[in-house]
Amino acid sequence: MERPTWAPQGIDLSVPSVSRIYDYYLGGSHNFEADREAGRRAIEAFPGLPKVMQTNRAFMRRAVRYAIGEGVNQFLDIGSGIPTFGNVHEIAQAADPAARVVYVDHDPVAVAHSRAVLDGDPRSAVVAADLRAPLEILASPEARRLLDLDRPVALLLVAVLHFMEDKDDPWKAVARLRDALAPGSLLVMTHASLEGGPRKPEEGAGVQGVYREVGSPLLMRSRDEVIRFFDGFEIVEPGLVSMPHWRPDAADTPEGSDEDPVVFSGFAGVGRKQ
């Protein structure tokens, strides 16, 4: 298999990656045939996945604008994936040119492409790290340079926590980040679930099977399990809801998404640290 110029040396092009499968769903070009094959199998098991991902990105953009409106202009985006049009730094800096953004991902393609996109932007950076080691993220040179932890930070955990198994205690990882952030900080989160939408259990099991095969188990947690991530945060209105229901904006809604019930699967919410 010919290696594209943008693919870092040392990665196995035959092994699928969660961030590159996500890039495939969004119509991106930074994915390999192994990623596309896994994505096609996931879509076959759970039709509508690309639309779910587009809706997820639209929620993220609305939440970033909400944060700026609340005076929070520092962003820590963990599990940021491969940059696409309308990424966090673009949305945030369009609203506030002084906004600072630190992206975090453990996929080498996502990190390499992020560095290329952010080259020359002194207010944005990317860290090669994992949510399972939250304190290492905060101690990174990039985070120390760009984030003032004495002021509120918007912590983005968008479509990432459902890839952490219970044995890794994702609730503890979030709590460690929360404890390091100043009062007034925001937690912006989405999480996969079979609750809130029309999908059948066997469809959820099908897509979970695909991700298990590629080495990234996908956890469809219940509402009660998801809301635990907001311990220590006050959830802002309208609460923990389906992605299209979080402060909808007709100007930033994927075409036809409000007519497709599949996008109402899962949860989205924003919480403020007291």
Side-chain angles (χ1 to χ4, degrees):
M1 183 183 302
E2 184 177 352
R3 181 179 296 272
T5 57
W6 49 262
Q9 294 296 321
I11 66 168
D12 187 343
L13 307 191
S14 67
V15 177
S17 150
V18 165
S19 64
R20 297 195 301 269
I21 295 171
Y22 188 71
D23 181 65
Y24 168 69
Y25 293 147
L26 293 174
S29 59
H30 286 75
N31 50 74
F32 309 127
E33 180 54 32
D35 307 308
R36 294 189 285 272
E37 172 58 24
R40 286 190 289 265
R41 288 191 287 118
I43 293 170
E44 183 179 353
F46 199 112
L49 265 179
K51 193 165 288 185
V52 172
M53 302 310 171
Q54 293 164 15
T55 305
N56 183 77
R57 296 286 296 184
F59 159 77
M60 179 272 290
R61 293 191 292 268
R62 298 196 304 275
V64 168
R65 287 193 288 266
Y66 169 80
I68 292 290
E70 292 294 302
V72 180
N73 68 350
Q74 303 186 100
F75 297 84
L76 178 59
D77 184 2
I78 302 179
S80 51
I82 295 169
T84 59
F85 176 75
N87 223 35
V88 174
H89 72 285
E90 295 173 328
I91 301 301
Q93 291 172 1
D96 181 353
R100 296 170 178 259
V101 179
V102 175
Y103 293 110
V104 181
D105 208 285
H106 61 76
D107 181 281
V109 171
V111 172
H113 193 48
S114 296
R115 285 177 177 153
V117 168
L118 300 174
D119 186 38
D121 182 350
R123 293 186 175 87
S124 302
V126 60
V127 178
D130 195 302
L131 178 55
R132 295 170 181 82
L135 299 186
E136 292 181 15
I137 294 172
L138 296 176
S140 68
E142 295 86 355
R144 292 170 65 89
R145 175 173 66 87
L146 288 174
L147 302 180
D148 178 0
L149 298 185
D150 291 327
R151 296 194 299 112
V153 172
L155 170 62
L156 277 65
L157 298 174
V158 177
V160 64
L161 287 166
H162 47 232
F163 291 113
M164 283 185 70
E165 297 183 83
D166 289 359
K167 67 181 182 181
D168 294 320
D169 201 347
W171 295 277
K172 184 176 182 180
V174 174
R176 284 183 170 176
L177 290 165
R178 177 201 66 210
D179 292 346
L181 300 181
S185 292
L186 302 174
L187 170 60
V188 176
M189 190 190 73
T190 63
H191 198 294
S193 177
L194 287 177
E195 295 183 19
R199 298 293 101 181
K200 300 175 183 177
E202 56 267 28
E203 292 176 304
V207 73
Q208 285 177 299
V210 172
Y211 278 96
R212 191 178 303 111
E213 289 173 12
V214 304
S216 298
L218 173 65
L219 283 297
M220 299 279 193
R221 292 191 170 99
S222 68
R223 179 186 179 85
D224 288 344
E225 290 173 313
V226 173
I227 208 164
R228 282 178 54 201
F229 289 114
F230 287 95
D231 285 353
F233 295 89
E234 180 182 355
I235 302 179
V236 304
E237 292 294 335
L240 187 65
V241 295
S242 298
M243 292 180 290
H245 287 154
W246 198 89
R247 299 179 182 242
D249 179 354
D252 195 10
T253 299
E255 185 177 352
S257 65
D258 56 348
E259 301 171 0
D260 191 337
V262 71
V263 300
F264 294 91
S265 302
F267 296 106
V270 175
R272 179 181 290 106
K273 182 178 174 178
Q274 298 304 297

